[in-house]
Amino acid sequence: MSNSLKTANPAVVVRFAPSPTGYLHIGGARTALFNWLYARAKGGKFLLRIEDTDRARHTPEAVTAIIDGLKWLELDWDGEPFSQFANAERHREAAEAMLANGTAYKCYLSKDELDAMRTTAEAEKRRFIIDSPWRDRDPAQAPANTPFVVRLKSPTDGETLVADKAQGDVSFPNADLDDLILLRSDGSPTYNLAVVVDDHDMDVTHVVRGVDHLTNAARQSQIYQALGWDVPVWVHVPLIHGPDGAKLSKRHGALGIEAYRADGFLPEALRNYLVRLGWSHGDDEIIPTIQLIEWFDFDGVGKSPARFDVAKLTDLNGHYIRHADDAELVRRCRDIMELPEYEGGVALLAKLDAGVEEKLLASMPGLKERAKTLIALIDSAAYLFAERPLTFDKKADKLLDETAKADLKSLSDRLEALDTWTPEALEEAVRTFAEETDLKLGKIAQPLRAALTGTSVSPPVFDVMAVLGRDEALARLKDQSA
RNA sequence: GGUCCCUUCGUCUAGUGGUUAGGACGCCAGAUUUUCAUUCUGGAAACAGGAGUUCAAUUCUCCUAGGGAUCGCCA
């Protein structure tokens, strides 16, 4: 990771700054998407910064998971990812500067003392605001060899305004914003300091993140002021809740983004779904990314939280699958089979030789029309992977009764004499057969489908027969002929 | 509890001081169809409650209720 924070300073610089404590969850993904969209819409830069200041909670696996998630979602960032930890020295310098200009002070209150104060305040149902005796004490009185933290000397009266593009003007009474810690007693910088220094050094122009950071914006504004720096444009977007309206937490099915990949969702569909959670453009629902980039701006961002609805995501996914390129879908099916989460994927992969792949591609127009996820698509293509003798599901089994098998026998004899093995020729032959034997087409088509695929549902049977090829199709029919 | 935010069909949302309050998903019914799906048509379904401003409020103001966020030497 890079430690050089300076950028070319274009008009718009945004960043996605996840803390690497777990996978990339759906809310983080949307925040990243909004940032990315805005940067691409405005011709700006989209930076990635890993907030790994807390060494204890930071894991390399989480960094990998986040990066993989972003890559899969196709949200490409500019330059190398930044490591916040790598910039700790700069953060300390900023704190020193604040100490020097009197906007920060050394506080010798111990953590235990503070905890005790907090507990009593809570017990007395009093709100607890840190009021350090060291705030205005002469530094000369400082005890020797005693650990201290550096705190922000934040204003005690008046209010701090956060002029937010999504939330509007929100002001906080300064009396409620206490002297937050800038540098811990071990000299390491805390989140709020690090964010301000990094965003400033990276020339970030717009800070786009979840509303859960709104009060941080007020605190950070005070740090910016103390440092004499310009405050960036704030954009705090509403949160995404679980289907039950509660906060989307790990316990509430806040799946990592990779879970959606494993479930067979397309990144384009997920982007489309996610952007509509908290952002709108009139009545538009299906918005390809290219159009999103043209339209996206913060004036379309709402304020109320949204619930995650898989049904709608699924519908959108079906749309994107239907409209996807056939070869691309084949490639994506293969990708999914390679995923360790996909049970049976290896087995399928083993069968997916050039021949099967060709059949899969040829069947794709019929297959993709019927599937809402890649997983469902692969499942529905099982008959292409199957080897004789086929196994039959319950409905197929029922379709293949004695009369059906007898019909299949005469039909397959007829088909065997056919010179051309195309869907059209096949259909004509079967229709003629149905007419001659006084059968409704469905009466013969369903057993045919069952014999060919082992199920009662498939793309049009004549297409299935054509793709399977004369020999295989006839063999499967013979297997079920009485 | 303090501070801050939110509230239009079940869900995501559009919308305006005067609309039959629109769209999408889901649901129901029908059409098309060799199955399923697609597609098409139709239907049920919402302005949280109260007060005020106004000729007129879903829209503006206030209050109430409900929901959410945040209050760490976490990020």
Side-chain angles (χ1 to χ4, degrees):
Chain A
M1 274 188 247
S2 161
N3 187 23
S4 164
L5 266 44
K6 278 290 168 191
T7 64
N9 197 22
V12 166
V13 179
V14 294
R15 84 311 196 263
F16 176 52
S19 60
T21 48
Y23 43 55
L24 177 64
H25 58 86
I26 215 75
R30 198 208 35 183
T31 299
L33 175 63
F34 277 18
N35 274 287
W36 179 84
L37 243 19
Y38 191 68
R40 296 297 171 255
K42 303 297 173 192
K45 285 192 173 233
F46 172 58
L47 273 20
L48 176 60
R49 185 177 68 223
I50 306 296
E51 312 255 299
D52 50 0
T53 300
D54 185 346
R55 300 318 280 171
R57 293 222 265 161
H58 148 267
T59 72
E61 294 75 29
V63 174
T64 309
I66 289 166
I67 286 183
D68 285 352
L70 289 174
K71 279 185 180 164
W72 176 71
L73 256 188
E74 298 164 329
L75 304 181
D76 54 314
W77 56 93
D78 296 299
E80 289 299 306
F82 294 104
S83 158
Q84 184 158 70
F85 177 71
N87 210 31
E89 201 43 53
R90 262 292 291 159
H91 305 150
R92 269 189 286 273
E93 284 170 25
E96 291 299 330
M98 291 164 77
L99 239 21
N101 74 11
T103 53
Y105 61 94
K106 294 177 180 176
C107 174
Y108 293 86
L109 247 28
S110 77
K111 194 174 190 305
D112 291 342
E113 283 176 283
L114 240 23
D115 285 346
M117 287 160 79
R118 209 186 317 269
T119 320
T120 43
E122 261 170 42
E124 293 167 19
K125 293 210 156 189
R126 245 181 30 237
R127 65 188 179 133
F128 175 68
I129 294 285
I130 288 162
D131 182 19
S132 171
W134 297 97
R135 180 178 162 113
D136 297 307
R137 199 172 284 183
D138 184 351
Q141 296 177 26
N145 300 322
T146 305
F148 61 88
V149 299
V150 175
R151 306 189 96 104
L152 174 73
K153 194 181 281 185
S154 72
T156 48
D157 38 56
E159 32 187 45
T160 295
L161 173 75
V162 176
D164 192 280
K165 284 281 195 195
Q167 302 294 320
D169 286 354
V170 183
S171 43
F172 298 86
N174 285 335
D176 288 318
L177 269 18
D178 55 14
D179 293 352
L180 80 216
I181 291 175
L182 266 12
L183 249 35
R184 300 185 184 95
S185 46
D186 65 359
S188 66
T190 58
Y191 169 75
N192 279 299
L193 204 223
V195 166
V196 168
V197 173
D198 287 352
D199 282 341
H200 174 263
D201 284 5
M202 292 162 84
D203 295 314
V204 169
T205 57
H206 297 68
V207 171
V208 185
R209 67 240 290 198
V211 260
D212 49 335
H213 283 282
L214 196 60
T215 44
N216 282 333
R219 295 181 176 284
Q220 289 163 17
S221 292
Q222 297 182 339
I223 299 177
Y224 275 101
Q225 280 155 21
L227 254 7
W229 294 342
D230 288 337
V231 177
V233 177
W234 304 114
V235 187
H236 288 91
V237 304
L239 302 180
I240 299 174
H241 290 163
D244 58 354
K247 188 186 179 184
L248 201 52
S249 65
K250 279 149 197 118
R251 300 162 284 284
H252 279 87
L255 276 17
I257 217 77
E258 71 279 354
Y260 293 92
R261 159 150 78 154
D263 283 348
F265 290 101
L266 261 22
E268 172 112 331
L270 194 54
R271 268 181 265 141
N272 192 155
Y273 177 69
L274 248 23
V275 80
R276 288 285 293 99
L277 255 31
W279 178 85
S280 63
H281 183 272
D283 280 340
D284 295 298
E285 294 287 348
I286 292 172
I287 317 173
T289 302
I290 194 128
Q291 181 69 76
L292 237 26
I293 289 172
E294 201 173 305
W295 284 344
F296 190 81
D297 208 333
F298 299 130
D299 51 17
V301 176
K303 288 209 232 179
S304 40
R307 298 187 189 199
F308 193 84
D309 180 20
V310 201
K312 189 154 184 176
L313 202 213
T314 304
D315 175 72
L316 231 24
N317 202 54
H319 173 270
Y320 282 100
I321 285 181
R322 287 195 293 281
H323 293 266
D325 176 74
D326 296 341
E328 172 69 13
L329 284 174
V330 171
R331 203 178 59 74
R332 293 207 178 260
C333 286
R334 194 182 270 283
D335 285 348
I336 288 229
M337 291 176 197
E338 284 168 2
L339 258 28
E341 296 95 314
Y342 189 3
E343 236 173 284
V346 247
L348 283 175
L349 227 34
K351 290 184 181 170
L352 191 53
D353 56 20
V356 174
E357 181 162 318
E358 195 184 319
K359 288 185 171 66
L360 185 58
L361 181 63
S363 309
M364 203 46 93
L367 254 18
K368 70 182 181 185
E369 193 78 6
R370 277 153 253 270
K372 294 197 190 288
T373 68
L374 254 20
I375 296 293
L377 174 10
I378 294 169
D379 285 348
S380 73
Y383 67 93
L384 295 174
F385 293 84
E387 282 162 26
R388 297 176 43 229
L390 262 45
T391 53
F392 298 87
D393 69 19
K394 229 176 145 190
K395 284 181 183 169
D397 206 45
K398 211 176 161 193
L399 281 167
L400 294 164
D401 57 17
E402 290 311 308
T403 39
K405 287 186 174 192
D407 291 338
L408 250 25
K409 170 87 173 83
S410 4
L411 179 61
S412 63
D413 290 344
R414 179 83 65 100
L415 259 20
E416 205 158 9
L418 220 56
D419 328 312
T420 41
W421 197 261
T422 63
E424 296 74 22
L426 256 5
E427 175 162 3
E428 201 193 310
V430 174
R431 278 188 191 276
T432 311
F433 174 82
E435 273 168 37
E436 287 174 14
T437 50
D438 214 21
L439 280 171
K440 288 186 80 173
L441 185 56
K443 208 63 187 159
I444 187 67
Q446 277 305 82
L448 196 50
R449 188 188 318 278
L452 255 16
T453 69
T455 72
S456 60
V457 177
S458 83
V461 257
F462 309 117
D463 294 340
V464 170
M465 263 192 279
V467 167
L468 248 22
R470 177 184 211 111
D471 293 350
E472 178 68 19
L474 248 19
R476 288 187 186 189
L477 288 189
K478 290 235 151 59
D479 287 345
Q480 298 310 314
S481 297

